[in-house]
Amino acid sequence: MPLLTVRTERFPIAGTFTIARGSKTEAVVVEVNLRHGAFLGRGECVPYARYGETVEETVATLEALANDVAHGLDRIALQERLPAGAARNALDCAFWDLEAKSTGIPVATRLGLPQPQSVITAFTLSLDSPDAMAAAARAAHRPLLKLKLGADGDADRLRAIRAAVPQARLIVDANEGWSADTLAAHMAICADVGVELIEQPLPAVDDGALATLARLVPVCADESVHDRAGLGALRDRYDAVNIKLDKTGGLTEALAMAEAARAEGFSIMVGCMLASSLAMAPAMLLAQRATVVDLDGPLLLARDRTPALHYEGALAFPPVPALWG
């Protein structure tokens, strides 16, 4: 049976990453290793304070399962053993990787999916002044930009960025930073500058206003939905859902959620936390059928793992087996 070990790693960010809730200069991740004989399966997660998670509690939760894993706890049983969240994600992805490594069968093949291909990923611009974000947009040279907003002056930011990059596709992430009182005005400006998607404009506890407002731009749920159980409440509020493995609790639930969301008529966005290539790798399977892909976490780091995902401009390529899957 596999031997489970857990460790915390820190990856410095290239500069400072700022969203409506604050700034950070490093990505702190938790890595799970499952060793069975000569084979090693790995998974990575990012505990997120917004969801009541801490690195210390996530590590403790995972380490407490070491004996159970050694005595037969598998990926299927894990779905009931842990709730959706970062801890289950890391272990779930490590199980998938170990299965692939020990059998020699890629995860995509085991799932009956075509081998993944490269996809265009959004590139995220950190929340800053209008001039700074416009300059960052010009310097990025990317066809798809994700703009972190959710603070005073967002209208000026949007206009400045659009003037700086008139040809770029734009999506917006307010990180719950707007209010029901300002939503209509913000949405009108987004429509005016050609924003294609607005991600989580209102706090999850206050997103009912979306049901009564004419959505001039499609709206995507992020903090408002974690797994399949939350989809039913979104029908009249959102047009798309952002599926992140750290929210769903791993690839197993993420795949099921994607199918359920499509059946409900939602478009799919595949997103990530600020993390290394090991966290992005499983999400590349989901990205193959997503309308919007946002798997740029490693591009925002000062250094990544070796081996890492390969990026060429806006293209993200599937992981090599030595990384995952």
Side-chain angles (χ1 to χ4, degrees), residues 61-136:
T61 295
L62 289 164
E63 288 180 337
L65 292 178
N67 187 61
D68 294 324
V69 170
H71 288 84
L73 180 73
D74 61 10
R75 179 175 56 80
I76 303 304
L78 174 65
Q79 307 309 309
E80 296 297 328
R81 186 62 178 274
L82 290 183
R88 194 177 78 188
N89 174 34
L91 185 50
D92 181 79
C93 291
F95 272 125
W96 278 109
D97 191 33
L98 182 60
E99 291 173 27
K101 297 291 195 303
S102 60
T103 63
I105 302 173
V107 174
T109 302
R110 294 178 70 83
L111 288 167
L113 301 174
Q115 290 306 301
Q117 304 297 312
S118 62
V119 295
I120 293 176
T121 180
F123 183 76
T124 303
L125 300 186
S126 181
L127 178 63
D128 208 327
S129 69
D131 288 345
M133 291 187 74

Side-chain angles (χ1 to χ4, degrees), residues 73-307:
L73 180 73
D74 61 10
R75 179 175 56 80
I76 303 304
L78 174 65
Q79 307 309 309
E80 296 297 328
R81 186 62 178 274
L82 290 183
R88 194 177 78 188
N89 174 34
L91 185 50
D92 181 79
C93 291
F95 272 125
W96 278 109
D97 191 33
L98 182 60
E99 291 173 27
K101 297 291 195 303
S102 60
T103 63
I105 302 173
V107 174
T109 302
R110 294 178 70 83
L111 288 167
L113 301 174
Q115 290 306 301
Q117 304 297 312
S118 62
V119 295
I120 293 176
T121 180
F123 183 76
T124 303
L125 300 186
S126 181
L127 178 63
D128 208 327
S129 69
D131 288 345
M133 291 187 74
R138 279 192 297 267
H141 300 293
R142 306 282 173 151
L144 177 61
L145 294 173
K146 176 174 173 174
L147 317 177
K148 287 292 188 178
L149 301 180
D152 290 343
D154 280 346
D156 294 333
R157 293 183 180 93
L158 284 163
R159 294 189 181 101
I161 292 165
R162 175 49 81 202
V165 287
Q167 303 305 317
R169 297 170 56 205
L170 303 179
I171 58 178
V172 160
D173 184 2
N175 282 116
E176 303 180 282
W178 294 345
S179 70
D181 293 338
T182 64
L183 180 59
H186 280 122
M187 191 169 289
I189 294 166
C190 284
D192 186 54
V193 302
V195 169
E196 297 181 9
L197 188 71
I198 300 172
E199 191 179 345
Q200 199 66 47
L202 300 179
V205 296
D206 190 34
D207 63 0
L210 292 167
T212 59
L213 180 73
R215 296 195 289 272
L216 303 178
V217 177
V219 180
C220 179
D222 184 2
E223 287 87 350
S224 285
V225 65
H226 291 241
D227 55 14
R228 283 175 290 175
L231 288 172
L234 305 182
R235 291 189 186 94
D236 61 348
R237 304 179 186 188
Y238 293 96
D239 308 288
V241 293
N242 187 347
I243 300 178
K244 296 178 179 176
L245 272 63
D246 274 315
K247 293 192 303 177
T248 65
L251 180 62
T252 301
E253 174 61 22
L255 291 165
M257 180 180 177
E259 290 303 314
R262 290 189 193 97
E264 294 282 359
F266 294 108
S267 296
I268 304 297
M269 177 179 183
V270 173
C272 66
M273 303 300 188
L274 194 51
S276 85
S277 285
L278 180 56
M280 307 299 121
M284 284 295 294
L285 293 174
L286 289 166
Q288 302 303 301
R289 295 180 60 193
T291 303
V292 175
V293 176
D294 177 29
L295 297 178
D296 66 339
L299 296 176
L300 306 176
L301 302 178
R303 64 173 177 84
D304 196 4
R305 297 180 182 275
T306 302

Side-chain angles (χ1 to χ4, degrees), residues 4-8 30-32 34 45 47 51-69 73 78 80-92 95 249:
L4 183 153
T5 57
V6 185
R7 65 175 181 172
T8 301
V30 176
E31 179 186 336
V32 166
L34 288 178
C45 70
Y51 303 137
E53 299 172 331
T54 67
V55 170
E56 295 76 15
E57 290 174 349
T58 299
V59 169
T61 295
L62 289 164
E63 288 180 337
L65 292 178
N67 187 61
D68 294 324
V69 170
L73 180 73
L78 174 65
E80 296 297 328
R81 186 62 178 274
L82 290 183
R88 194 177 78 188
N89 174 34
L91 185 50
D92 181 79
F95 272 125

